[in-house]
Each structure stands twice: as C-alpha cells, then as structure tokens.
Amino acid sequence: MALPYIGARVRAPEFPSDLEWLNAGRPLAMADLRGKVVLLDFWTFCCINCMHVLPDLKALERKYPRELAVVGVHSAKFSNERDADQIRQAVLRYEIEHPVVNDHELRLWQAYGVQAWPTLVVVDPDGYVYGATSGEGHLQDLDETVALLADRARRDGRLNEAPLALRPEREGAGATALAFPGKVLADEATGRLFIADSNHNRIVIADLEGQVQAVAGTGARGAADGPFDAATFHHPQGMALDGESLYVADTENHLIRRLDLRARAVETVAGTGRQARRPAEAGQGRAVDLNSPWDLARVDRELYIAMAGAHQIWVMNLGTAGLRPFAGTGREELLDGSREMGALAQPSGLATDGRSLYVADSEISAIRQIELGARGALRTLVGLDLFEFGDVDGAGSQVRLQHPLGVALAGGRLYVADTYNHKLKALDPEKGTCATLAGTGRPGFEDGAAGEAGFWEPGGISAAGGRLYVADTNNHAVRVVDPKTGEVTTLRLHGLMAPGVAAAPGAVDWMPAEEVEAPEAAVAPDAAGVLAIALDLPAGHHVNPEAPFTVQVGVEGDAVDVAEADRQRVAKAPALPLCLPFRAGPAGRRGRLTVDVTFYYCREDGRGLCLIQPVRWTVPLKTERGGAFEVRLTFAPPPADAAAPTA
C-alpha cells in the first residue's frame, strides 16, 4: 500500500544554497524539481541499512525515469563522512547516479524532522511533503506512492516529465586495475594473495609478490556459477581458505560462494540470493536467506560469517552445509555477555587464532572478542558505543577508533584497519593497549615511513610472511606494511587489467610487462646525473591522474648508485619526465639498471577507456669520460583502440 498521507499541506523545506552537491553539476533548488515526484533519501555512507535501500532507489528510478527525482541527502554520522571528497568516493563505490547533497551540518535533517538512517521523504509535484518512512524494505509502498502522485499530476497537467540535466561523478573517472578493493587474504603456506576486487565484481588471485595467477569473475554483476571466466559476483568482500577451496562473502548477492582453485570454477554454497528481512533461523546453506555477509573466518570445518546486515555472526558447517546464528541477538548495540545474548553492530571484519574470533564491529567503532568454546562469551576489547568514536591511542576506555572494517592477527597482536581514520592500528588483546602503526590520519596515497605513509579508507587486512597486506579501498590499491617498523609500500600487480579490457575479444586477464632492452649508456664518471623516465603517448590520450604511477629501480654493479629513497616511487600525476637522481662511479665501471614502471593512460574523447601499461627497461651502463649526465628512457604505448576494443 502507498505511504500514508501526513494529513497537512506542509511545504517541503528548501535546500540551503551553500551546500555542496554531487552528481548534479550545480546546486539544486526545490523549484528545479517542481512537477516531479521527489524522493529524499536521508542516508550516511557507513550505514548498512542505507546500503540496502540503494537497490530499491535504482529500481524506482528505472521504473519512473521521467516522473521521479531521487535526491540523496547525506547526513553524516562519522566525522570522516562530512567531507564532500569522502562522499564522492562513496557515490562512486555504491554506483549512485542521482544527485546527492552534503548535509554536513544536519540542517536538512533537522528541517525535515528526521530521526534515523535511512529515512525516505516523498514530496509531491507541487512541492509539499506527502509522507515519510524510516528503515529498509519499503519498495512496494514507495512504488505505489510514486505511481499515485504521478498519475494525479499527469491527469491535472502538472507533471514535469523533462529529464534533469545532471553531471554524474563517474564521468571522467577512468578505469583502474582494481576498483575499491574491500578485502584481502594472504596465505603464507601457499604463497598466495587473494583480493576482493569489489567494484569490479571479481576475485584476483596472485602470489605474495603481486604476480597475477588467475581472475575469477567476468566483471559483470551477477550470481552465475561456473568457470572463472564465466562466473559473476556482486561486490564481493571477505574470504577464507580451506585447502584448495576459497570461500567468498558475495556481499550484495547475499550469498557465500566457493572457488575451486584447482578446477578454476565457482559454485554457490549458501544463501538464496534474497536478503533476509527478518531474524533468520538455522537451516541448510542454499535454503537460508542471508543479510550482507561481509567477512569470513575458518576454524577446522566451521566457517564463521560476519553478517553485517543482521548485526550477527553466523556459522556454517562445511561438511553438512548447516547454517545457524552463532553470536549476537540482532539488535544493533554494544552489549557484552554470553554470545547468544550479547549484541553487535554491523560486524565487518573477522580474524581468529582458533580459540577466539576477533571482530571489527564497525558501527560502534569497537573490536570485540568471541570465545569459541561451548559456553563462549562476547566481550569488548576497545570501543564504547554507537556514537563514541575518534582517533585516540591508549589503553582500555581511552581508545577511540572510527568505523574499523578489518582485523588481522599476527605474532600475538591484532592489527586493525581503522578505516575512517585512514590508519592501521596495533592492538594487544591481553593488555587492551592500542597504538597507531602507520598512517597520518588524513586521506592520502604515499609510501614510506609509518608516520608519512598515506591510506584512504583501508577496508581489509591480512598477515603472511612477516608482512601485512592491506586493501586500501579508496586508493584502488593493495599496500604492504612491515609490522615492526610501519614502513609502507604499494604492491605492483604486474599487469592486471580492468575487466572492460580483459573482457574484450582476444584480451587476457593479466599480462607481463613490456620488455625493453636499452642500448648501453655511457655516463660521466663521478658525476651527479639523472635517470629521466618519459612517455610518448598517442594523440588523444593522457595519463590517468587518479591512478598510481609506480616506479621501481634495481641496481647491479657499481657504474651508478641510486639512493634507496628513489628506488621506489608511487605517485599520482607526476610531472614527466620523472627524474630520479643517481651518483656515477669512477671511470671504467660497469653495471645495469632494471627500471619497472606501471602507469594508466586514457582516451580523451569521453568514452572512458583506460588501460594499464607495465614496462620494464634493462639498461647496461658504463662510466667513461665524455659520458652523459642523463640516462633517458622513453616508452610509446599503443593507442587504446589498438590495445583492446572498447568494451
């Protein structure tokens, strides 16, 4: 049935003129929307219930493309969410196409009397509030309300069916090899790294040094089982390994998938594909509705599932496929006690030592511990409540995190992806102490020492081989961190391509670097010289300024020396040629440079095609009098259309 009418003619409050807009190209006013049914979605991008509303909004927009105008009113909970740049990333990550206004001071929230996320307010074509509802699961009511108001306005000649002129944020955002990777899983025993390439709807399988071995998923949204090159996912997140089986939380499909790593095939093992709308009960895997499974952890034959949408931990027996709730009542709150009576709030990350589960409980900015014994308890290590958050190191109740999404256990310490603080934290579970390991606290993309390195909403973390692997979500990258020093580097994935390129006829999912054997270069002895790296891009192309431009230099022999700080560079939109200083040795010395560069280049005609290009130069060197002070390397990639047809 349609939403109930509020029973009074109340003019819809105006959008304040000084607010920032996304997906619009300009500030909007209520007068711009007159003649349309307007649906205001009051949301905040951390909120799982708000995420659940987005498919309903898309369905309404498809059904009523001329009659309906959806406007997202972003009213932030966390301080990180008030910034328009962070909201822009959420708009891109959630693939939102309607206008979004940044209500960072909650002025619209207060003007409309909103009290909860999400709240949906319907405004009639004359600009008056018709009705409102809160929570999720109201698609049918909203559908009937839009149809009712649109039909009335059409009969009276008041319906405006002209399309709104908008400018989506996705325009000009070129493709990258990874797109908002949510989780990583590093396995030391097999030397493999699994990456949930969430917005590319696929799983990338590499070794721990970044050499891609396989890709599961075509890149299209879907829930198709089958071979890796035919299977589809929908924004997958966490993973767990059991021998040659990789289990995947296929979050927006509300499914658990199993990848057979030997046969390179995908099958669904749990979930119906429908989102659970009420507290679910125990059942068999394919018969149970799931609710946004976000992360996984395996202990023996039990697979633990962070069911973010249900605010619970579930468990699945891998032998019988039996599924049941394991911890949490389903109420969204911080409550310790027995695991059946305790409560969680959007659990989004899991780690285990075989005796306990450690949970990144994101909405309460807490880290929780759940004992796995028969009478196991749920307790809080750090964190206080739904609206207690910040960035404070210390012990116990002093500690503040901000919406952490990932945890990893190594060497008796728990490492936390403190997502909205753009940091990694190290937590001692026994002492309850927590300290920053790496990150500045501001969004960034810099490698280097712990206090200088930049992350941008890291969402996943895993440990292997004395290193931490981090899904640096908004940077579209995997970072590698030394847990002893906090030193950060960016993992090169050796030619991984965006799926639009990989899906083109004749293309492949990954490719080796273009090998260039340079002629021997003579450099002046004992001189301070430069290694200049240049690109000769085809006409109508540019380097993607939003993607990482990575350089690694290997030095052999004693002809030249390149400082350690200059042997690895990661930057966005560097000035070209990129010049790296070197010091030449005495006359008569020989050596060799190996220079690896990976960059992204895009067409400039608005068709949105971007390609990744790895190249490796091998440069023999000698020092002799009369030699040069510059070694120049230039690479000319092919035009995008020559590399692969537009998908």
Side-chain angles (χ1 to χ4, degrees):
M1 59 180 291
L3 296 180
Y5 174 51
I6 63 171
R9 293 280 282 175
V10 177
R11 178 69 70 180
E14 184 58 83
F15 302 115
S17 61
D18 60 339
L19 296 185
E20 296 174 280
W21 285 81
L22 303 164
N23 274 350
R26 60 186 176 89
L28 298 178
M30 276 295 173
D32 298 317
L33 307 176
R34 195 63 47 82
K36 293 186 178 294
V37 182
V38 179
L39 179 54
L40 303 177
D41 172 30
F42 286 83
W43 68 297
T44 186
F45 69 72
C46 68
C47 165
I48 192 71
N49 308 96
C50 300
M51 297 178 208
H52 290 161
V53 166
L54 294 175
D56 293 350
L57 300 182
K58 286 182 183 292
L60 292 170
E61 289 174 293
R62 286 193 297 269
K63 187 171 183 178
Y64 303 102
R66 299 186 303 274
E67 302 91 338
L68 176 67
V70 176
V71 175
V73 183
H74 191 273
S75 305
K77 170 185 174 179
F78 290 100
S79 56
N80 177 68
E81 297 177 301
R82 296 176 189 152
D83 184 82
D85 285 340
Q86 313 308 324
I87 302 170
R88 181 174 292 105
Q89 295 304 307
V91 164
L92 293 169
R93 186 165 67 248
Y94 300 155
E95 297 166 340
I96 295 170
E97 297 182 347
H98 54 254
V100 174
V101 60
N102 181 8
D103 185 30
H104 64 287
E105 295 178 337
L106 302 184
R107 283 184 278 169
L108 284 165
W109 174 280
Q110 293 164 1
Y112 281 87
V114 175
Q115 296 181 319
W117 296 284
T119 290
L120 298 152
V121 178
V122 177
V123 178
D124 72 20
D126 294 324
Y128 290 90
V129 175
Y130 178 85
T133 188
S134 295
E136 57 181 279
H138 302 294
L139 176 58
Q140 182 176 347
D141 294 345
L142 292 168
D143 188 349
E144 294 181 10
T145 303
V146 173
L148 172 70
L149 295 177
D151 287 346
R152 284 181 185 173
R154 184 178 285 113
R155 287 196 305 268
D156 297 341
R158 296 178 290 107
L159 187 66
N160 174 12
E161 299 190 64
L164 282 174
L166 302 175
R167 191 178 70 198
E169 298 299 319
R170 57 179 167 76
E171 289 185 1
T176 52
L178 297 176
F180 297 104
K183 298 290 184 184
V184 289
L185 174 63
D187 182 54
E188 185 171 349
T190 62
R192 289 181 295 198
L193 178 69
F194 305 95
I195 305 166
D197 190 7
S198 303
N199 272 52
H200 281 156
N201 304 302
R202 62 184 184 175
I203 303 299
V204 176
I205 304 166
D207 65 23
L208 294 177
E209 303 305 318
Q211 180 65 58
V212 175
Q213 299 173 345
V215 175
T218 66
R221 291 187 201 168
D225 289 342
F228 278 7
D229 59 2
T232 53
F233 301 85
H234 193 179
H235 292 89
Q237 289 283 340
M239 297 159 288
L241 188 64
D242 179 26
E244 290 300 305
S245 292
L246 180 74
Y247 292 90
V248 177
D250 196 3
T251 302
E252 294 194 34
N253 274 328
H254 309 288
L255 298 174
I256 304 298
R257 317 290 292 280
R258 185 181 78 89
L259 276 61
D260 184 327
L261 300 175
R262 286 199 181 96
R264 297 199 172 196
V266 179
E267 67 169 332
T268 301
V269 296
T272 63
R274 299 183 300 269
Q275 181 196 342
R277 293 294 189 184
R278 59 181 62 87
E281 299 179 354
Q284 290 302 112
R286 292 297 303 271
V288 178
D289 293 344
L290 307 183
N291 196 339
S292 293
W294 207 278
D295 203 6
L296 305 174
R298 183 186 64 84
V299 178
D300 298 326
R301 302 302 294 157
E302 303 278 53
L303 184 70
Y304 294 91
I305 305 166
M307 205 76 75
H311 310 296
Q312 292 178 310
I313 307 298
W314 281 56
V315 63
M316 176 180 178
N317 184 286
L318 295 178
T320 66
L323 264 170
R324 60 184 173 86
F326 178 75
T329 62
R331 283 183 59 88
E332 186 180 15
E333 62 179 331
L334 188 153
L335 180 64
D336 289 349
S338 70
R339 66 171 182 249
E340 295 85 359
M341 300 304 294
L344 301 129
Q346 203 171 311
S348 301
L350 294 178
T352 184
D353 59 4
R355 301 182 301 276
S356 293
L357 281 181
Y358 296 92
V359 183
D361 213 7
S362 61
E363 276 298 291
I364 46 179
S365 299
I367 305 300
R368 319 290 293 280
Q369 181 182 16
I370 307 173
E371 297 170 348
L372 294 180
R375 302 175 64 85
L378 166 63
R379 72 184 184 103
T380 302
L381 298 179
V382 295
L384 293 176
D385 211 339
L386 278 165
F387 292 91
E388 292 285 348
F389 56 86
D391 184 5
V392 181
D393 293 347
S397 61
Q398 299 173 329
V399 175
R400 297 288 186 279
L401 306 173
Q402 189 177 182
H403 198 73
L405 289 177
V407 284
L409 194 64
R413 301 178 94 191
L414 197 62
Y415 295 94
V416 180
D418 193 3
T419 306
Y420 286 2
N421 282 327
H422 315 288
K423 284 184 173 182
L424 302 186
K425 301 284 182 71
L427 172 64
D428 186 322
E430 298 299 323
K431 298 178 181 178
T433 56
C434 186
T436 297
L437 172 66
T440 65
R442 302 179 303 277
F445 188 31
E446 295 84 28
D447 286 349
E452 301 171 357
F455 300 92
W456 196 356
E457 291 192 11
I461 186 168
S462 187
R467 296 186 287 184
L468 302 174
Y469 292 82
V470 180
D472 196 5
T473 303
N474 286 2
N475 278 324
H476 313 296
V478 174
R479 317 294 291 283
V480 181
V481 183
D482 184 332
K484 295 179 181 177
T485 66
E487 184 84 13
V488 179
T489 59
T490 299
L491 185 69
R492 296 180 64 245
L493 286 171
H494 298 292
L496 181 72
M497 301 170 103
V501 176
V508 294
D509 287 320
W510 63 276
M511 63 179 186
E514 186 79 22
E515 300 276 355
V516 179
E517 293 284 344
E520 186 175 51
V523 297
D526 301 313
V530 293
L531 172 65
I533 299 168
L535 300 177
D536 183 11
L537 295 177
H541 293 72
H542 67 278
V543 173
N544 185 346
E546 297 302 316
F549 188 106
T550 64
V551 180
Q552 287 185 314
V553 180
V555 180
E556 298 178 28
D558 52 6
V560 300
D561 184 45
V562 178
E564 286 294 333
D566 293 316
R567 293 192 185 194
Q568 181 163 305
R569 294 279 190 93
V570 181
K572 286 186 178 179
L576 295 176
L578 179 65
C579 294
L580 305 178
F582 65 76
R583 169 64 65 176
R589 303 298 173 89
R590 291 185 178 274
R592 185 171 67 170
L593 295 179
T594 303
V595 182
D596 286 288
V597 174
T598 301
F599 62 94
Y600 299 75
Y601 64 107
C602 310
R603 295 171 57 115
E604 294 175 341
D605 60 4
R607 292 173 66 186
L609 180 61
C610 288
L611 299 181
I612 184 173
Q613 179 62 63
V615 57
R616 167 174 286 187
W617 285 277
T618 302
V619 190
L621 297 171
K622 63 181 178 180
T623 55
E624 65 179 21
R625 291 184 181 180
F629 290 84
E630 178 185 276
V631 176
R632 192 176 187 88
L633 305 176
T634 302
F635 182 73
D641 292 287
T646 303

PDB file of all heavy atoms in Angstrom, residues 432-450:
ATOM      1  N   GLY A 432      44.932  -4.699  26.265  1.00  0.00           N
ATOM      2  CA  GLY A 432      43.953  -3.709  25.851  1.00  0.00           C
ATOM      3  C   GLY A 432      44.559  -2.408  25.375  1.00  0.00           C
ATOM      4  O   GLY A 432      43.869  -1.385  25.283  1.00  0.00           O
ATOM      5  N   THR A 433      45.852  -2.423  25.039  1.00  0.00           N
ATOM      6  CA  THR A 433      46.514  -1.214  24.545  1.00  0.00           C
ATOM      7  C   THR A 433      46.414  -1.159  23.029  1.00  0.00           C
ATOM      8  O   THR A 433      46.446  -2.185  22.347  1.00  0.00           O
ATOM      9  CB  THR A 433      47.985  -1.176  24.965  1.00  0.00           C
ATOM     10  OG1 THR A 433      48.641  -2.380  24.506  1.00  0.00           O
ATOM     11  CG2 THR A 433      48.109  -1.091  26.474  1.00  0.00           C
ATOM     12  N   CYS A 434      46.323   0.046  22.510  1.00  0.00           N
ATOM     13  CA  CYS A 434      46.157   0.234  21.077  1.00  0.00           C
ATOM     14  C   CYS A 434      46.965   1.442  20.649  1.00  0.00           C
ATOM     15  O   CYS A 434      46.898   2.502  21.288  1.00  0.00           O
ATOM     16  CB  CYS A 434      44.679   0.436  20.743  1.00  0.00           C
ATOM     17  SG  CYS A 434      44.313   0.524  18.984  1.00  0.00           S
ATOM     18  N   ALA A 435      47.755   1.293  19.563  1.00  0.00           N
ATOM     19  CA  ALA A 435      48.614   2.385  19.099  1.00  0.00           C
ATOM     20  C   ALA A 435      48.634   2.412  17.577  1.00  0.00           C
ATOM     21  O   ALA A 435      48.499   1.376  16.913  1.00  0.00           O
ATOM     22  CB  ALA A 435      50.033   2.222  19.642  1.00  0.00           C
ATOM     23  N   THR A 436      48.808   3.593  17.025  1.00  0.00           N
ATOM     24  CA  THR A 436      48.925   3.756  15.578  1.00  0.00           C
ATOM     25  C   THR A 436      50.185   3.066  15.076  1.00  0.00           C
ATOM     26  O   THR A 436      51.269   3.263  15.617  1.00  0.00           O
ATOM     27  CB  THR A 436      48.969   5.241  15.212  1.00  0.00           C
ATOM     28  OG1 THR A 436      47.730   5.854  15.596  1.00  0.00           O
ATOM     29  CG2 THR A 436      49.183   5.435  13.717  1.00  0.00           C
ATOM     30  N   LEU A 437      50.038   2.251  14.042  1.00  0.00           N
ATOM     31  CA  LEU A 437      51.180   1.616  13.399  1.00  0.00           C
ATOM     32  C   LEU A 437      51.627   2.415  12.183  1.00  0.00           C
ATOM     33  O   LEU A 437      52.819   2.633  11.980  1.00  0.00           O
ATOM     34  CB  LEU A 437      50.835   0.191  12.983  1.00  0.00           C
ATOM     35  CG  LEU A 437      51.874  -0.545  12.135  1.00  0.00           C
ATOM     36  CD1 LEU A 437      53.148  -0.785  12.949  1.00  0.00           C
ATOM     37  CD2 LEU A 437      51.327  -1.858  11.599  1.00  0.00           C
ATOM     38  N   ALA A 438      50.674   2.856  11.349  1.00  0.00           N
ATOM     39  CA  ALA A 438      51.016   3.584  10.126  1.00  0.00           C
ATOM     40  C   ALA A 438      49.827   4.425   9.704  1.00  0.00           C
ATOM     41  O   ALA A 438      48.672   4.079   9.964  1.00  0.00           O
ATOM     42  CB  ALA A 438      51.416   2.623   9.008  1.00  0.00           C
ATOM     43  N   GLY A 439      50.131   5.528   9.036  1.00  0.00           N
ATOM     44  CA  GLY A 439      49.098   6.424   8.539  1.00  0.00           C
ATOM     45  C   GLY A 439      49.135   7.763   9.241  1.00  0.00           C
ATOM     46  O   GLY A 439      49.504   7.857  10.416  1.00  0.00           O
ATOM     47  N   THR A 440      48.746   8.792   8.515  1.00  0.00           N
ATOM     48  CA  THR A 440      48.786  10.154   9.054  1.00  0.00           C
ATOM     49  C   THR A 440      47.479  10.580   9.699  1.00  0.00           C
ATOM     50  O   THR A 440      47.427  11.591  10.398  1.00  0.00           O
ATOM     51  CB  THR A 440      49.104  11.156   7.935  1.00  0.00           C
ATOM     52  OG1 THR A 440      48.027  11.144   6.986  1.00  0.00           O
ATOM     53  CG2 THR A 440      50.405  10.796   7.222  1.00  0.00           C
ATOM     54  N   GLY A 441      46.401   9.829   9.428  1.00  0.00           N
ATOM     55  CA  GLY A 441      45.093  10.248   9.897  1.00  0.00           C
ATOM     56  C   GLY A 441      44.333  11.058   8.868  1.00  0.00           C
ATOM     57  O   GLY A 441      43.169  11.401   9.081  1.00  0.00           O
ATOM     58  N   ARG A 442      44.982  11.360   7.755  1.00  0.00           N
ATOM     59  CA  ARG A 442      44.340  12.085   6.659  1.00  0.00           C
ATOM     60  C   ARG A 442      44.342  11.198   5.415  1.00  0.00           C
ATOM     61  O   ARG A 442      45.251  10.397   5.229  1.00  0.00           O
ATOM     62  CB  ARG A 442      45.089  13.378   6.347  1.00  0.00           C
ATOM     63  CG  ARG A 442      45.203  14.336   7.509  1.00  0.00           C
ATOM     64  CD  ARG A 442      45.985  15.576   7.104  1.00  0.00           C
ATOM     65  NE  ARG A 442      47.328  15.251   6.604  1.00  0.00           N
ATOM     66  CZ  ARG A 442      48.388  15.035   7.379  1.00  0.00           C
ATOM     67  NH1 ARG A 442      48.264  15.094   8.703  1.00  0.00           N
ATOM     68  NH2 ARG A 442      49.570  14.754   6.849  1.00  0.00           N
ATOM     69  N   PRO A 443      43.356  11.345   4.526  1.00  0.00           N
ATOM     70  CA  PRO A 443      43.383  10.564   3.287  1.00  0.00           C
ATOM     71  C   PRO A 443      44.628  10.901   2.477  1.00  0.00           C
ATOM     72  O   PRO A 443      45.007  12.066   2.349  1.00  0.00           O
ATOM     73  CB  PRO A 443      42.118  11.018   2.544  1.00  0.00           C
ATOM     74  CG  PRO A 443      41.267  11.670   3.565  1.00  0.00           C
ATOM     75  CD  PRO A 443      42.181  12.234   4.599  1.00  0.00           C
ATOM     76  N   GLY A 444      45.269   9.871   1.940  1.00  0.00           N
ATOM     77  CA  GLY A 444      46.466  10.095   1.132  1.00  0.00           C
ATOM     78  C   GLY A 444      46.888   8.823   0.442  1.00  0.00           C
ATOM     79  O   GLY A 444      46.334   7.753   0.684  1.00  0.00           O
ATOM     80  N   PHE A 445      47.895   8.954  -0.405  1.00  0.00           N
ATOM     81  CA  PHE A 445      48.430   7.793  -1.113  1.00  0.00           C
ATOM     82  C   PHE A 445      49.933   7.971  -1.235  1.00  0.00           C
ATOM     83  O   PHE A 445      50.460   8.316  -2.292  1.00  0.00           O
ATOM     84  CB  PHE A 445      47.770   7.654  -2.479  1.00  0.00           C
ATOM     85  CG  PHE A 445      48.123   6.364  -3.192  1.00  0.00           C
ATOM     86  CD1 PHE A 445      48.390   5.205  -2.491  1.00  0.00           C
ATOM     87  CD2 PHE A 445      48.163   6.311  -4.569  1.00  0.00           C
ATOM     88  CE1 PHE A 445      48.706   4.026  -3.148  1.00  0.00           C
ATOM     89  CE2 PHE A 445      48.476   5.143  -5.246  1.00  0.00           C
ATOM     90  CZ  PHE A 445      48.750   3.994  -4.533  1.00  0.00           C
ATOM     91  N   GLU A 446      50.627   7.767  -0.119  1.00  0.00           N
ATOM     92  CA  GLU A 446      52.075   7.909  -0.081  1.00  0.00           C
ATOM     93  C   GLU A 446      52.680   6.674   0.557  1.00  0.00           C
ATOM     94  O   GLU A 446      52.186   6.178   1.562  1.00  0.00           O
ATOM     95  CB  GLU A 446      52.499   9.144   0.723  1.00  0.00           C
ATOM     96  CG  GLU A 446      52.072  10.480   0.114  1.00  0.00           C
ATOM     97  CD  GLU A 446      50.655  10.847   0.490  1.00  0.00           C
ATOM     98  OE1 GLU A 446      50.189  10.427   1.564  1.00  0.00           O
ATOM     99  OE2 GLU A 446      50.002  11.547  -0.315  1.00  0.00           O
ATOM    100  N   ASP A 447      53.752   6.171  -0.038  1.00  0.00           N
ATOM    101  CA  ASP A 447      54.547   5.128   0.585  1.00  0.00           C
ATOM    102  C   ASP A 447      55.580   5.775   1.497  1.00  0.00           C
ATOM    103  O   ASP A 447      55.813   6.983   1.439  1.00  0.00           O
ATOM    104  CB  ASP A 447      55.248   4.285  -0.481  1.00  0.00           C
ATOM    105  CG  ASP A 447      54.291   3.353  -1.201  1.00  0.00           C
ATOM    106  OD1 ASP A 447      53.146   3.204  -0.743  1.00  0.00           O
ATOM    107  OD2 ASP A 447      54.684   2.786  -2.229  1.00  0.00           O
ATOM    108  N   GLY A 448      56.224   4.937   2.322  1.00  0.00           N
ATOM    109  CA  GLY A 448      57.307   5.458   3.144  1.00  0.00           C
ATOM    110  C   GLY A 448      57.170   5.077   4.593  1.00  0.00           C
ATOM    111  O   GLY A 448      56.522   4.089   4.954  1.00  0.00           O
ATOM    112  N   ALA A 449      57.807   5.856   5.450  1.00  0.00           N
ATOM    113  CA  ALA A 449      57.843   5.588   6.883  1.00  0.00           C
ATOM    114  C   ALA A 449      56.445   5.667   7.483  1.00  0.00           C
ATOM    115  O   ALA A 449      55.534   6.302   6.933  1.00  0.00           O
ATOM    116  CB  ALA A 449      58.775   6.587   7.567  1.00  0.00           C
ATOM    117  N   ALA A 450      56.301   5.036   8.642  1.00  0.00           N
ATOM    118  CA  ALA A 450      54.990   4.872   9.271  1.00  0.00           C
ATOM    119  C   ALA A 450      54.218   6.172   9.393  1.00  0.00           C
ATOM    120  O   ALA A 450      53.025   6.247   9.073  1.00  0.00           O
ATOM    121  CB  ALA A 450      55.163   4.226  10.643  1.00  0.00           C
TER     122      ALA A 450
END
